[in-house]
């Protein structure tokens, strides 16, 4: 099953890659119509030399940034270029870069934080680098980019909401995580001297072009592939299609080899538990190694474009994290089961209370640990999606909202999990205990995440929520000791000699192996009725099941004894007194 699971995972992943590669290439074609020339180097375009001047922003204005200089090195944008709205600036940059006209595209950038001595060629190279990064890592939502000079939008959205009646001077069009910080890409409205306000890609965005390109620039295979390999088949460059399949196949073989090595090495051990580990952990380990290697190779050798680039790496990381989570779950599961099977005594014996208590601890701890690992794994997985991560942070930032969410959405589940921990600590019921829940007599067979399994005497299974165990009253016949005393009730005639029954009862008990001798035989007349006397016989056995069998056997023997005693004269009898009515005599006349 594990082998089939690993194979299926790689096949699904390969299919997903091919499908998304088609989509990614379609996106890339839509943003780059002409064949690209040689890509720029990852070396910094702007060296740490030159005249770095102070920030160009002058006095404050809520409608735009007032600057004392704008792009002294390349000059102001020509009047023929429309930079009146945020959308027009970004359209100009994308269209000119798509046509490899990076000098024209550079006019959309604000170079005020860079030295004044940069050349137009340097500016064009920075524009090319920025276009490559945007094409690889940023999904521009054109519907949310305003096409109004004041930066407002006619229909408010959840991301770019404008303050009613106020112009906007800064708009976010992209966001990229670089190391431990977020690079926010912005468009800013600026005003220089007597020129009317216009929009540019912000100076802070331009300042981060070199580090972004160094991190997300073209991979090794992007640079070394010959022209013939760039021929497209179904809108896919042949080399990307073939390379992706080759890498996937290599990683699949690596995963299979990892599983084989783990099984071969560990199976040679003389210790059984190491051999068991090899069987249980080889599948998740091979999946994690294969997918992680595929992720690293893909990220190092091939670059993708559009939303696919940001999605595929997150999905690969999710698979890696899931396989690692699976690995730890299998490891904890094996460890707990190994301890339960080999370190704990026979829990089928109800009198073995220490073994049953330890098994209960292990059962609850196993499930709590598994739950914690799943929660951690899900948290790491969700953190790969920036939108979900921010949503979670914003919700958890408010204790009231978090409390409402946990209280309403997960009240029942969390309540049962917490009840399981309470049961492990307070021990109202343990695995193997004899309990009576709503007139059902059975044994606690298992304690799981949110419920308890009770096996009845007739082999039915009753599923009891753990909150019920904590909140309601039930009988536990094994909470202090497994020994149990049960009464045998007999009815006999008033004239019976109770001492004879007492002697016979003691004789039967002493002859039975089921009697545990914890309680001496007791025979008492507990009640009388108008027809008979009620005789109660008490004795004990080691557990509830043995006590039941013992009492059924003793009851049968005692009934036979009373029936045979003096030919049944002492059986419970209903007496009817018949009185003869004297006949009346006729008087003689």
């Amino acid at each position: 099953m594990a082998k089939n699971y690993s194979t299926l995972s790689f096949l699904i992943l390969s299919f997903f890659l091919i499908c998304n590669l088609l989509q990614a290439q379609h996106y890339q074609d839509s943003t780059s119509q002409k064949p690209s020339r040689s890509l720029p180097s990852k070396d910094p375009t702007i060296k740490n030399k030159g005249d770095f001047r102070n920030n160009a922003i002058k006095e404050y204005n809520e409608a735009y940034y007032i600057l004392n200089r704008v792009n002294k090195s390349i000059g102001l944008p020509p009047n023929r270029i429309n930079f009146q709205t945020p959308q027009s600036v970004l359209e100009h940059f994308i269209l000119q870069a798509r046509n490899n006209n990076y000098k024209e595209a550079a006019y959309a950038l604000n170079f005020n934080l860079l030295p004044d001595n940069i050349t137009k060629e340097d500016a064009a190279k920075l524009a090319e680098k920025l276009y490559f990064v945007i094409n690889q890592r940023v999904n521009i939502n054109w519907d949310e980019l305003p096409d109004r000079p004041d930066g407002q939008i006619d229909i408010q959205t959840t991301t770019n909401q404008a303050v009613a009646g106020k112009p906007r001077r800064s708009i976010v069009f992209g966001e990229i995580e670089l190391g431990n910080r977020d690079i926010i890409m912005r468009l800013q409205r600026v005003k220089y001297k007597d020129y009317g306000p216009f929009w540019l890609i912000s100076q802070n965005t331009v300042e981060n072009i070199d580090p972004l390109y160094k991190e997300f620039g073209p991979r090794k295979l992007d640079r070394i592939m010959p022209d013939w390999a760039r021929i497209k088949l179904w809108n896919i460059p042949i080399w990307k299609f073939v390379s992706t399949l080759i890498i996937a196949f290599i990683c699949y073989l690596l995963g299979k080899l990892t599983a084989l090595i783990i099984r071969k090495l560990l199976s040679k051990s003389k210790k059984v538990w190491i051999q068991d580990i090899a069987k249980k952990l080889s599948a998740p380990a091979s999946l994690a190694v294969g997918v992680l290697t595929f992720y690293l190779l893909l990220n190092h050798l091939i670059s993708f474009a559009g939303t696919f680039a940001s999605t595929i790496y997150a999905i690969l990381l999710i698979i890696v994290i899931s396989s690692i989570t699976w690995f730890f779950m299998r490891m904890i599961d094996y460890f707990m089961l190994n301890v339960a099977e080999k370190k704990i005594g026979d829990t089928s014996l109800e009198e073995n209370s220490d073994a049953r208590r330890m098994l209960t601890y292990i059962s609850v701890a196993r499930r709590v640990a598994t739950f914690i690992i799943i929660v951690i794994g899900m948290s790491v997985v969700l953190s790969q999606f920036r939108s979900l991560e921010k949503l979670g942070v914003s919700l958890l930032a408010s204790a009231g909202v978090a409390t409402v969410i946990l209280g309403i959405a997960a009240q029942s589940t969390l309540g049962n999990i917490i009840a399981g921990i309470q049961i492990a600590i307070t021990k109202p019921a343990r695995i193997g205990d004899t309990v009576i829940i709503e007139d059902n007599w059975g044994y606690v067979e298992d304690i799981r995440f949110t419920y308890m399994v009770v096996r009845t005497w007739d082999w039915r299974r009753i599923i009891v929520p753990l909150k019920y165990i904590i909140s309601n009253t039930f009988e536990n016949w094994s909470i202090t000791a497994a020994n149990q005393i049960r009464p045998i009730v007999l009815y006999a005639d008033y004239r019976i000699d109770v001492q004879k029954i007492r002697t016979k009862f003691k004789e039967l008990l002493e002859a039975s192996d089921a009697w545990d001798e914890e309680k001496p035989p007791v025979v008492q007349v507990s009640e009388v009725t108008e027809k008979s006397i009620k005789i109660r016989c008490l004795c004990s056995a080691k557990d509830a099941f043995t006590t039941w069998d013992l009492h059924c056997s003793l009851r049968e023997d005692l009934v036979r004894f009373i029936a045979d005693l003096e030919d049944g004269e002492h059986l419970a009898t209903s007496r009817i007194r018949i009185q003869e009515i004297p006949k009346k005599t006729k008087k003689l006349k």
Side-chain angles (χ1 to χ4, degrees), residues 1-14 252 255-256 259 263 279-291 315-316 318-327 329-330:
M1 180 64 70
K3 179 179 179 181
N4 294 335
Y5 177 80
S6 300
T7 305
L8 182 62
S9 298
F10 277 104
L11 290 176
I12 292 174
L13 180 60
S14 300
Y252 171 76
K256 301 292 288 184
R263 285 196 295 266
K279 297 176 182 177
K280 292 183 177 293
L281 302 185
S282 60
S286 64
L287 180 62
V289 170
V291 178
I315 292 177
L316 289 174
I318 288 171
I319 297 176
V320 173
I321 294 166
S322 301
S323 59
I324 293 174
T325 303
W326 180 30
F327 176 86
M329 287 173 59
R330 292 288 293 268

Side-chain angles (χ1 to χ4, degrees), residues 186-368:
R186 296 179 181 273
L187 293 165
Q188 290 182 344
R189 195 182 189 203
V190 299
K191 188 177 189 306
Y192 175 63
K193 292 184 178 180
D194 294 332
Y195 298 99
F198 56 94
W199 291 83
L200 292 175
I201 295 176
S202 71
Q203 57 187 7
N204 299 95
T205 303
V206 174
E207 185 183 31
N208 287 300
I209 291 177
D210 276 335
L212 285 172
Y213 187 77
K214 183 178 181 180
E215 178 69 21
F216 303 111
R219 305 299 189 259
K220 290 187 175 181
L221 291 182
D222 290 312
R223 296 182 180 277
I224 66 175
M225 279 296 160
D227 293 337
W228 63 264
R230 300 180 186 275
I231 298 174
K232 296 180 181 180
L233 179 64
W234 298 314
N235 288 328
I236 305 175
I238 292 178
W239 74 268
K240 284 192 176 183
F241 180 80
V242 175
S243 300
T244 302
L245 291 181
I246 291 175
I247 293 174
F249 182 70
I250 292 174
C251 294
Y252 171 76
L253 294 180
L254 181 62
K256 301 292 288 184
L257 181 62
T258 302
L260 181 62
I261 292 174
I262 292 176
R263 285 196 295 266
K264 289 292 184 182
L265 291 179
L266 299 184
S267 61
K268 294 180 180 179
S269 176
K270 297 181 179 179
K271 296 183 179 180
V272 179
W273 67 272
I274 294 181
Q275 297 177 5
D276 293 339
I277 285 179
K279 297 176 182 177
K280 292 183 177 293
L281 302 185
S282 60
S286 64
L287 180 62
V289 170
V291 178
L292 180 60
T293 305
F294 183 75
Y295 168 78
L296 295 175
L297 289 177
L298 205 66
N299 190 38
H300 187 67
L301 298 176
I302 305 176
S303 61
F304 294 100
T307 56
F308 175 75
S310 57
T311 303
I312 182 59
Y313 299 127
I315 292 177
L316 289 174
L317 277 178
I318 288 171
I319 297 176
V320 173
I321 294 166
S322 301
S323 59
I324 293 174
T325 303
W326 180 30
F327 176 86
F328 281 107
M329 287 173 59
R330 292 288 293 268
M331 186 171 65
I332 289 178
D333 194 56
Y334 169 76
F335 174 76
M336 295 293 186
L337 290 177
N338 183 65
V339 172
E341 292 175 0
K342 299 180 179 180
K343 304 297 182 181
I344 296 179
D346 187 5
T347 57
S348 62
L349 301 176
E350 194 172 351
E351 64 270 19
N352 195 348
S353 59
D354 291 338
R356 291 187 290 108
R357 182 176 64 253
M358 287 303 300
L359 185 60
T360 302
Y361 287 153
I362 290 175
S363 178
V364 175
R366 170 190 170 194
R367 287 168 172 81
V368 170

Side-chain angles (χ1 to χ4, degrees), residues 175-177 179-182 378-397:
E175 185 176 349
I176 301 177
E177 184 177 0
N180 296 323
R181 64 192 182 105
D182 292 334
M378 290 179 61
S379 301
V380 177
V381 166
L382 292 177
S383 68
Q384 303 306 312
F385 296 93
R386 302 180 63 82
S387 58
L388 294 179
E389 180 185 18
K390 291 182 178 180
L391 176 63
V393 170
S394 62
L395 290 177
L396 294 178

Side-chain angles (χ1 to χ4, degrees), residues 6 34 68 72 178 212 324 343 411 460 483 495 509 521 557 572 588:
S6 300
K34 294 184 179 180
N68 59 17
K72 183 178 179 181
L178 180 64
L212 285 172
I324 293 174
K343 304 297 182 181
Q411 180 182 11
R460 291 179 294 118
N483 305 69
R495 292 177 296 176
L509 263 186
D557 292 337
L588 296 174

